[in-house]
Amino acid sequence: MKLTMWKRITNKVNEHAHMSQVGRGSERVQATAEIFTPTDLVIEMLNRIDISRLSAGKTVLDPACGDGQFLTAIKWVKVYIHKMSESDALKDLYGVDIMRDNVDLCKKRLGGGTIVMGDSLHPDKKLDGQTDEEYDMVNSMLSGRPSVEQFFDR
């Protein structure tokens, strides 16, 4: 991949400095185990995979999406490398996080996408501040049990 294309993707990810709008005191970090990945590391990791795995129609789920650092980079890979529209790229992106402010910031950074509040490790656990719709969606995505609608759509 041309270095200039990765530079474009890096610049797009860096347009919204990650976690710049979320206060992360030591108590929060200890309680949530939040670790945010620097842009350069995200780009390095994406450079190490077969980039066709992120082509049109290839779904990406980040089960601990935080503010969307990985999903934002993947969105721009889909747009710049796979020539998708932004709206089509967003249809392939899903994120889950336990913190409402991370979910809201991720949605803002991406400009959409299916980003919901939930606990990926315990999808059947309802979180304070999680909507019923988010709870149902997380359960559907992560529990391994199809919903009634999914079952009949097969």
Side-chain angles (χ1 to χ4, degrees):
M1 199 64 43
K2 290 185 174 183
L3 183 60
T4 56
M5 186 60 68
W6 286 110
K7 188 67 177 158
R8 277 179 79 186
I9 292 168
T10 299
N11 289 341
K12 290 302 272 187
V13 172
N14 284 334
E15 280 182 3
H16 302 283
H18 67 279
M19 295 312 296
S20 62
Q21 300 172 18
V22 175
R24 289 191 310 129
S26 60
E27 285 182 25
R28 176 177 166 138
V29 171
Q30 189 171 14
T32 64
E34 290 177 302
I35 302 292
F36 294 94
T37 312
T39 303
D40 291 341
L41 183 55
V42 170
I43 298 302
E44 180 181 335
M45 292 170 76
L46 290 176
N47 264 299
R48 293 176 183 250
I49 66 167
D50 175 1
I51 212 69
S52 68
R53 295 180 76 164
L54 303 175
S55 62
K58 301 285 184 170
T59 301
V60 176
L61 168 65
D62 187 341
C65 67
D67 71 338
Q69 195 63 351
F70 278 97
L71 291 174
T72 301
I74 292 167
K75 170 189 166 181
W76 294 113
V77 165
K78 287 177 168 286
V79 170
Y80 289 139
I81 296 173
H82 297 296
K83 309 298 184 202
M84 294 175 69
S85 69
E86 285 187 50
S87 62
D88 284 341
L90 289 171
K91 291 176 187 173
D92 290 346
L93 302 180
Y94 295 82
V96 178
D97 200 87
I98 61 172
M99 302 299 291
R100 170 62 57 206
D101 52 359
N102 286 344
V103 169
D104 294 343
L105 184 54
C106 183
K107 285 180 187 178
K108 182 178 175 183
R109 286 183 79 193
L110 287 172
T114 304
I115 312 301
V116 296
M117 183 180 185
D119 185 338
S120 295
L121 296 176
H122 306 283
D124 55 337
K125 176 183 171 187
K126 179 116 189 236
L127 302 175
D128 290 339
Q130 182 183 32
T131 67
D132 290 339
E133 181 182 14
E134 288 173 318
Y135 176 78
D136 292 342
M137 192 176 298
V138 169
N139 260 301
S140 176
M141 286 190 295
L142 300 173
S143 70
R145 298 177 303 240
S147 67
V148 172
E149 293 82 10
Q150 289 173 315
F151 180 80
F152 286 111
D153 285 340
R154 290 184 183 182

